[in-house]
Amino acid sequence: MSVKKKNQIDLLSRFLILAVVCVGFALLRPEAFLSVDNITQVVFQQTPFTILMAFGMSLAIISGGIDISMSSTMVLSSYLSASYFQQGNYFMGLVIAFGVGLGFGLFNGVLISKVKIEPFIATFSVDFMALGLAYVVCNGEYVYGFSDGFRSIVNGYLIPGVPNVALVTFLVFAVLYFLTRRTIYGRTLYSLGHNKKATKLSGMHSDGVIIGVYVTNGLLAALTGILYLARLNAADPSIRGTLTNDSIASALIGGIAFCGGTGSVVNTVIGSMIIMFIRNGMNIMGVSTNWQQAVVGFVILFAIVYERVLNNLMAKYAGKGDK
């Protein structure tokens, strides 16, 4: 079985898991789960935020790393830029938000590629730094009350029936898909996940790719922060919530191996949809948040075990083919 064939089977199986989740909740609570309002709310209004953060997490995992700091970078960038957006100075708001994301992403990338600190340790430390600074900046106060024009970047419709937040997410998906699948950058990214030493010895610009991954993550965190400002009409540190855990879960459930080198942003989208529909279905059924966390943890474990079983079957199939 070729790697391409295995990836196709793996992706199709994730679609099957998504279908099973949706059918299951549809049978349990059809009147609530299958309503047009509920489906459109999940797909177009809730899931895009998780997808954007999960894109960054997926890039880090594919490269053989991880990024724990994205949600805190998102909070800090949104707080520092909120007052400018509130005053209608959108240019400065964008410069500051993306500047913070770029700065922290570059900092992560340099720590990992140049200083040689393990990705988990580097980003875990930066996570504390960014969140601490966010609380210092907010000083217990909230920035709220944005104009309808600013809020329309999430709630408005450039394309009838498709909220702007979903359109932005699709554009980011298209750019990342092209970069990871059609460029030298993408080939180097996957090569790093397979074998860092071999990639560096081959002369590929591995350090530049690693820095690029974490800079991209910082920019995605800033973008998500701006969108959250528009959605919530307030800068609130609680928006980080479970985003870090959900973005990791989206990548793993979608079929991106934690060891790196496999998966794509398509897997990320499917994994995010699975997570959000599970949470949505359990909310409809009145399941407590504690049980929701337990169920998500079980689904993650199932996805990892499934990945291991599929890899073992592929290895056995390949072995028989060689005889």
Side-chain angles (χ1 to χ4, degrees):
M1 184 186 296
S2 66
V3 174
K4 183 178 180 180
K5 187 70 172 179
K6 182 260 182 184
N7 289 339
Q8 290 175 342
I9 293 173
D10 189 45
L11 186 59
L12 286 173
S13 68
R14 309 296 164 164
F15 276 107
L16 179 61
I17 293 172
L18 176 60
V20 169
V21 168
C22 292
V23 170
F25 284 120
L27 292 174
L28 292 171
R29 293 293 301 274
E31 71 288 347
F33 185 81
L34 289 179
S35 69
V36 174
D37 287 343
N38 183 62
I39 298 298
T40 55
Q41 182 75 13
V42 174
V43 174
F44 293 128
Q45 294 288 357
Q46 297 176 2
T47 307
F49 296 94
T50 301
I51 290 176
L52 288 171
M53 296 291 281
F55 279 155
M57 190 66 71
S58 298
L59 292 177
I61 293 175
I62 289 171
S63 71
I66 194 169
D67 192 345
I68 306 297
S69 66
M70 285 186 69
S71 60
S72 293
T73 301
M74 176 192 72
V75 171
L76 179 60
S77 65
S78 64
Y79 256 109
L80 290 175
S81 61
S83 60
Y84 292 96
F85 288 124
Q86 186 186 48
Q87 297 162 14
N89 191 344
Y90 297 155
F91 176 76
M92 281 303 300
L94 291 171
V95 168
I96 290 175
F98 285 115
V100 171
L102 175 64
F104 275 93
L106 183 61
F107 188 42
N108 276 328
V110 171
L111 288 176
I112 294 166
S113 64
K114 302 297 184 182
V115 186
K116 307 301 180 185
I117 298 177
E118 288 297 317
F120 179 85
I121 297 173
T123 59
F124 188 62
S125 302
V126 171
D127 179 66
F128 273 87
M129 291 170 54
L131 188 61
L133 288 172
Y135 278 108
V136 169
V137 170
C138 76
N139 195 28
E141 300 178 356
Y142 296 89
V143 179
Y144 58 90
F146 297 91
S147 67
D148 291 339
F150 176 70
R151 299 199 69 196
S152 69
I153 66 172
V154 168
N155 303 319
Y157 296 86
L158 285 177
I159 298 177
V162 181
N164 290 339
V165 64
L167 180 61
V168 169
T169 304
F170 175 77
L171 292 175
V172 172
F173 166 81
V175 171
L176 291 180
Y177 185 86
F178 176 79
L179 285 175
T180 55
R181 292 296 183 178
R182 297 289 185 267
T183 66
I184 296 175
Y185 173 88
R187 288 193 288 273
T188 307
L189 177 72
Y190 283 93
S191 180
L192 278 168
H194 282 297
N195 192 321
K196 281 186 171 64
K197 290 184 178 179
T199 303
K200 292 180 180 180
L201 291 173
S202 68
M204 293 182 179
H205 299 291
S206 55
D207 286 354
V209 169
I210 291 173
I211 291 174
V213 165
Y214 291 93
V215 166
T216 300
N217 290 1
L219 295 176
L220 286 172
L223 173 61
T224 309
I226 294 169
L227 295 174
Y228 258 124
L229 284 178
R231 182 189 183 194
L232 301 177
N233 198 29
D236 182 356
S238 67
I239 61 174
R240 72 190 300 265
T242 61
L243 271 176
T244 297
N245 291 337
D246 282 356
S247 60
I248 295 174
S250 297
L252 297 180
I253 293 172
I256 296 176
F258 200 70
C259 58
T262 62
S264 73
V265 289
V266 179
N267 295 84
T268 305
V269 173
I270 300 304
S272 298
M273 296 286 285
I274 292 171
I275 285 287
M276 296 309 295
F277 272 115
I278 287 175
R279 290 195 182 280
N280 174 255
M282 289 192 291
N283 282 332
I284 289 174
M285 296 183 65
V287 178
S288 71
T289 55
N290 293 333
W291 275 108
Q292 289 184 30
Q293 291 297 95
V295 170
V296 171
F298 172 79
V299 175
I300 294 172
L301 183 60
F302 170 79
I304 294 172
V305 171
Y306 169 81
E307 187 76 22
R308 181 66 58 86
V309 170
L310 185 62
N311 287 337
N312 289 340
L313 288 175
M314 188 180 79
K316 289 181 181 180
Y317 183 88
K320 289 180 181 180
D322 292 337
K323 293 180 180 180

